[in-house]
Amino acid sequence: MITVIDGHLSNRPAGGSDFTVGDISGVDYDSNLIPWCKGNSVSVDQRTLDPYRQMFQILIGKARHRLTLIDQGDLKNPMLNSGLDFSDLEALYGKAQARGGRRIMAGEFSGKWKKAELLFINLLLGKHIQLYENKDTHAKVIQGDILQQLNLGVHAKDWEAEGDEKWMMKGICSFLAENQKNGAHIRINESFGWETYIRDRWGAPDGIPGVIPGNLTRKHVGTPTMHIPLHFVLAETLARAMGSMQETEWGKNQSKIRRDMADGALDHPLKDRINLNSFYQLFTKHAAAHMADSFFLRHTDDKTSARYELIEIVNSEPKQWDVIFEPEFLRWRTNQRTRDRTGGVQ
Amino acid sequence: MKRVLPDNKPTLDYELWKSLTNPMIQYQAVQKSDRKWLSSIDRGFSQSSDLWVKEGRDRSKNDTTKVFDFISLSNLFESWFDELKFNKQDLADRIGQRITMIPGAGTYFEGEENTLLEINWIILGRVIGAAVANIGAAEKWWYQKGNDAHVALQFWSHLKRDVVGHRYDATVHANDFTILAQGIEGDNWKKTGDFYRQNGFDPDSEILRSVGHRASSPFWQENHRPNRYYANPFAINHQKSLFAKFSGVEDPEELSKFHGSLTLGVLGDALKSLRGDNPDRFANFAIKIHGMCAFHIVRTDIIQQKIGLHLFSNLVARKMSRDVGGSNVPDIAKNLKTGFGLAKVLNILADKNHKVIQWNSVEKEIVDKIVDGLK
């Protein structure tokens, strides 16, 4: 969602790949981002992934609110209320530290807060968020210090340390707690492509007469430029990746099934399908036979999920079917294979 | 290991069902007394229960003929599938007319009318799962009480109270969905939401459902007004139906022990209404089912998903995509691996008051012969 403009990394314009400003076109969601969503979206129960989805929802929601106010010309103080602060986290997760009881020591940090810290670490390392020390001042120095420690692996070393040495006492949640009264918050890094995403997700699509694509001031119906909630898939993907640091990696099994399905389809002479018996057997192989049929219905509820279409094999006796996968899903696997071959360089 | 169909050819289910029903019906309904008996003797996880093994089970307490069980979606669903297939435009028009009469529906579904023709089977499966869990818990068959549905009931009532405020006549107004149809201010939404967030349910995460399927989504936000929320008017309708049913029951249990029966009762009424000759019956059915799905906003219980989502979606997906009219229970039990007694679940689902499924049995010998011929 970003590109080099005048020698700097900058957001692409909203409006999609057919819309250009100067020489710079909008984002081509179909080639990489939507396939990435189709491949990485998991259907595990929302409770497992909710802490991450909720945080992303707040971060994106507040940035969207801020951009809407700006578009509406409500410039009284567009910086206000534009990020996630300590009180938001308390509302979501309760108190950070336990009072103590039979099974938990006084002062032990709650698991949800630890999950929040892990998510923030990953988001900060990925340049997706910024730390603000008050309502409108980017805490560049503190953010730089924390980043330096993260790059040195201090967080991993001190994660289980005791007392003030514990990472939770000096990390991002701690920053929010210490500067709570000044209005410290975490803000989504809008200039890292997220403004374009928000505008393409909730703003006007290209082609509405008299309206700049991405404008958030008016109601519009129909399909937005980006019709898939990428931020949720990213939250889920980060959650899964971080799961291995704490607990089980949620959705790992489904990822394996999807990879095997896509590989099977790409190996088929028509490059887009597998036999329905093989489809069921893949789920059985990964101890998820009970889930196979619900995958055919998931797309109704979940736009990020891949669509599977059944087609009867002509003249088959007994009757047979193939499962045809949508191109975006297969592109995800092709892109993944290419990345694997090139060692991550594309 | 194979129970009914070979492990490598589960899709023979189509030919098997076709052979069982054509040219003559070779199955028979499991009678109420047998359903009760099976419920009482079913033990342990579904995959290890004695009832669903490859040797089959006794037909009844007094008949040792070995049979396999087969379950199908209620044949009342058949008329819905047919209407959708052969009369889609008329159905769309009728739903379109109906929503003009429901306050707030025009705004809520604007630009998303196509979703009104599509039932969200995944959520409906969860609704059924929570209801079955609640009914079984009331019978003390298991501990899961279908709390998802109970929290949802509380949330909707709480939200309406917060929107209306503490007025003398708040209860009257709280029953009036026209108020919610006008939209919910951000402060009220946050006030109600914060209470539930602290108790493990975040209503904000439910707004996402409006992106995927507006018809069955509980809430929606306009793109340009992030601080205003709209509730699905069908969900409010469903709440009214639930409470109307509740007030009509003689000596009901407390709601937390009874909401499962109410939900399946409302579903049963909707299904039975498909039999009539009211030209709007299919439109009304769609609206009721969307409302039921939209009302179900808490989806945290993984365990009940197996008996709801997966069991139900298995039947729906196979029927819709391949016209498989019935599935054998031993293979379902093997794959489902649920700790809920499967015979108890089937007994609840096959109850005549709602009849979500039909439960039949076929002699093992007949099934084996057909399957051997298919290989």
Side-chain angles (χ1 to χ4, degrees):
Chain A
M1 286 181 274
I2 51 178
T3 187
V4 177
I5 300 174
D6 295 334
H8 300 286
L9 273 179
S10 189
N11 282 345
R12 287 180 180 275
S17 55
D18 291 340
F19 183 76
T20 54
V21 175
D23 295 338
I24 310 298
S25 63
V27 180
D28 176 11
Y29 290 101
D30 291 333
S31 61
N32 281 300
L33 288 168
I34 289 178
W36 181 84
C37 291
K38 296 280 180 183
N40 285 289
S41 164
V42 289
S43 77
V44 298
D45 190 85
Q46 68 163 12
R47 180 173 55 177
T48 339
L49 302 172
D50 239 11
Y52 303 93
R53 292 164 59 106
Q54 284 167 345
M55 277 183 283
F56 241 97
Q57 173 84 333
I58 293 177
L59 284 167
I60 291 284
K62 291 204 173 181
R64 176 184 153 204
H65 190 192
R66 195 178 86 84
L67 293 170
T68 306
L69 288 174
I70 292 171
D71 283 6
Q72 288 171 343
D74 188 353
L75 299 173
K76 278 177 284 184
N77 196 343
M79 296 299 180
L80 281 174
N81 196 26
S82 57
L84 184 139
D85 61 21
F86 188 80
S87 63
D88 289 324
L89 284 175
E90 275 200 330
L92 277 175
Y93 305 137
K95 297 291 177 194
Q97 288 185 297
R99 280 182 302 184
R102 280 174 62 197
R103 293 183 184 170
I104 189 160
M105 265 176 47
E108 180 69 30
F109 277 95
S110 105
K112 286 180 177 175
W113 280 78
K114 288 183 186 171
K115 283 180 184 173
E117 181 72 25
L118 275 173
L119 178 69
F120 296 149
I121 288 171
N122 280 281
L123 292 177
L124 192 61
L125 285 168
K127 298 181 186 166
H128 296 293
I129 56 169
Q130 293 174 322
L131 307 187
Y132 274 67
E133 58 192 82
N134 56 39
K135 294 290 182 194
D136 53 11
T137 312
H138 183 194
K140 282 183 184 165
V141 176
I142 299 171
Q143 183 177 307
D145 287 347
I146 292 178
L147 262 175
Q148 193 178 12
Q149 293 189 63
L150 294 178
N151 287 324
L152 291 169
V154 177
H155 63 299
K157 186 168 71 70
D158 291 349
W159 191 256
E160 298 295 345
E162 295 298 325
D164 288 350
E165 286 306 304
K166 192 186 269 292
W167 176 260
M168 287 298 287
M169 298 297 286
K170 52 192 178 188
I172 298 166
C173 290
S174 171
F175 159 79
L176 291 176
E178 282 173 17
N179 298 286
Q180 183 188 5
K181 285 184 182 158
N182 302 329
H185 62 279
I186 296 168
R187 198 180 280 192
I188 199 89
N189 187 356
E190 288 167 15
S191 57
F192 195 63
W194 285 107
E195 179 176 347
T196 310
Y197 168 71
I198 289 168
R199 292 187 177 286
D200 281 339
R201 181 86 190 84
W202 287 278
D206 186 19
I208 298 179
V211 180
I212 299 169
N215 186 286
L216 292 158
T217 56
R218 287 203 208 166
K219 178 181 177 181
H220 63 84
V221 294
T223 311
T225 307
M226 174 52 165
H227 58 276
I228 294 209
L230 165 79
H231 61 293
F232 281 111
V233 186
L234 179 60
E236 288 172 357
T237 306
L238 288 170
R240 280 164 46 211
M242 290 183 299
S244 54
M245 282 181 75
Q246 286 199 313
E247 302 156 23
T248 324
E249 186 182 333
W250 311 295
K252 189 177 178 181
N253 216 22
Q254 285 186 49
S255 299
K256 285 183 190 165
I257 294 169
R258 276 198 302 265
R259 270 199 302 271
D260 286 356
M261 284 194 305
D263 286 345
L266 292 168
D267 288 344
H268 190 278
L270 294 171
K271 306 281 180 203
D272 65 353
R273 65 194 66 194
I274 61 173
N275 185 273
L276 181 59
N277 280 318
S278 309
F279 178 87
Y280 282 128
Q281 282 173 65
L282 276 175
F283 281 84
T284 306
K285 179 181 152 193
H286 294 287
H290 63 283
M291 295 176 73
D293 284 304
S294 59
F295 268 60
F296 289 112
L297 303 170
R298 248 189 83 199
H299 69 268
T300 310
D301 194 35
D302 181 0
K303 282 267 198 285
T304 61
S305 140
R307 275 176 180 266
Y308 308 99
E309 188 194 345
L310 270 186
I311 185 164
E312 191 182 324
I313 300 173
V314 182
N315 297 329
S316 54
E317 186 66 39
K319 209 175 257 194
Q320 294 269 311
W321 292 263
D322 277 336
V323 185
I324 301 182
F325 301 104
E326 64 178 337
E328 289 86 353
F329 171 68
L330 295 172
R331 201 174 304 138
W332 158 73
R333 185 58 182 145
T334 311
N335 290 346
Q336 200 177 43
R337 282 171 159 186
T338 310
R339 268 198 306 276
D340 288 346
R341 272 200 301 274
T342 56
V345 181
Q346 258 194 313
Chain B
M1 191 189 287
K2 169 186 175 292
R3 291 195 179 180
V4 176
L5 291 169
D7 286 342
N8 61 349
K9 288 181 184 166
T11 59
L12 289 178
D13 55 355
Y14 172 83
E15 301 286 354
L16 173 59
W17 184 253
K18 204 174 79 175
S19 303
L20 289 172
T21 53
N22 189 24
M24 53 182 276
I25 305 293
Q26 302 190 57
Y27 59 76
Q28 62 185 70
V30 178
Q31 298 301 317
K32 188 178 177 184
S33 57
D34 290 334
R35 294 203 303 263
K36 206 171 166 189
W37 167 65
L38 290 166
S39 297
S40 69
I41 61 169
D42 192 12
R43 295 276 181 278
F45 276 77
S46 62
Q47 76 276 21
S48 50
S49 166
D50 294 341
L51 294 176
W52 324 118
V53 290
K54 65 177 178 174
E55 291 81 11
R57 65 159 176 91
D58 290 351
R59 194 197 307 264
S60 72
K61 211 190 283 187
N62 308 313
D63 183 349
T64 56
T65 310
K66 294 296 179 189
V67 295
F68 284 133
D69 292 276
F70 284 77
I71 52 171
S72 319
L73 279 181
S74 159
N75 55 16
L76 291 168
F77 281 109
E78 195 86 34
S79 53
W80 166 258
F81 292 130
D82 287 348
E83 181 73 5
L84 202 58
K85 199 169 172 183
F86 302 116
N87 216 4
K88 198 170 183 176
Q89 190 51 51
D90 182 60
L91 177 62
D93 294 343
R94 287 183 186 278
I95 294 176
Q97 284 163 9
R98 292 282 293 116
I99 63 172
T100 59
M101 293 180 251
I102 300 174
T107 309
Y108 197 91
F109 301 110
E110 187 184 359
E112 299 284 337
E113 290 86 354
N114 59 327
T115 64
L116 293 162
L117 291 171
E118 195 175 18
I119 285 174
N120 192 334
W121 299 104
I122 294 272
I123 299 289
L124 185 59
R126 290 179 199 269
V127 172
I128 292 171
V132 169
N134 184 252
I135 293 169
E139 297 282 346
K140 297 192 168 42
W141 286 339
W142 45 67
Y143 295 112
Q144 284 78 16
K145 294 178 182 167
N147 274 343
D148 281 5
H150 191 225
V151 176
L153 267 164
Q154 290 173 323
F155 177 83
W156 282 101
S157 297
H158 201 151
L159 179 67
K160 285 205 290 188
R161 275 302 180 114
D162 281 344
V163 171
V164 173
H166 296 285
R167 291 163 43 156
Y168 176 69
D169 57 351
T171 304
V172 174
H173 281 271
N175 278 330
D176 188 349
F177 62 82
T178 54
I179 292 172
L180 283 180
Q182 290 158 13
I184 305 157
E185 290 297 334
D187 289 346
N188 281 327
W189 177 263
K190 189 171 183 318
K191 185 179 163 194
T192 315
D194 280 350
F195 175 82
Y196 285 87
R197 263 186 284 279
Q198 285 164 17
N199 289 287
F201 161 60
D202 180 20
D204 277 317
S205 63
E206 294 297 299
I207 296 170
L208 178 67
R209 281 170 57 187
S210 65
V211 178
H213 192 246
R214 183 72 57 82
S216 67
S217 66
F219 311 110
W220 168 66
Q221 267 182 307
E222 285 176 300
N223 66 302
H224 68 304
R225 290 159 86 183
N227 269 333
R228 194 160 189 84
Y229 302 80
Y230 292 88
N232 186 332
F234 296 166
I236 317 294
N237 254 346
H238 175 68
Q239 190 191 34
K240 285 184 146 187
S241 305
L242 272 182
F243 281 102
K245 211 158 187 59
F246 190 43
S247 60
V249 175
E250 274 183 42
D251 193 22
E253 294 266 8
E254 64 178 88
L255 191 57
S256 66
K257 291 181 182 171
F258 200 63
H259 61 79
S261 297
L262 293 176
T263 301
L264 289 190
V266 173
L267 175 61
D269 290 349
L271 279 169
K272 286 172 199 163
S273 71
L274 291 175
R275 275 199 294 237
D277 52 9
N278 177 352
D280 280 333
R281 63 190 185 280
F282 294 104
N284 291 337
F285 174 78
I287 288 170
K288 281 179 190 167
I289 300 297
H290 293 323
M292 188 173 275
C293 293
F295 190 78
H296 192 78
I297 50 174
V298 188
R299 296 168 293 157
T300 56
D301 194 333
I302 303 170
I303 301 166
Q304 74 194 24
Q305 280 192 23
K306 282 197 175 173
I307 56 167
L309 192 161
H310 296 303
L311 177 62
F312 188 68
S313 62
N314 175 308
L315 299 176
V316 173
R318 291 179 187 215
K319 174 70 189 164
M320 282 175 66
S321 57
R322 294 189 289 124
D323 201 25
V324 179
S327 300
N328 77 78
V329 179
D331 284 343
I332 292 175
K334 183 174 71 171
N335 293 333
L336 209 55
K337 294 180 182 165
T338 174
F340 290 86
L342 192 53
K344 294 177 172 67
V345 172
L346 301 184
N347 187 31
I348 294 169
L349 292 175
D351 188 287
K352 70 172 172 48
N353 287 327
H354 39 261
K355 211 164 188 180
V356 176
I357 62 162
Q358 284 164 201
W359 184 359
N360 299 296
S361 69
V362 188
E363 284 183 27
K364 175 185 181 309
E365 214 171 288
I366 296 173
V367 175
D368 284 346
K369 203 171 160 190
I370 294 170
V371 173
D372 286 344
L374 291 173
K375 282 178 191 171

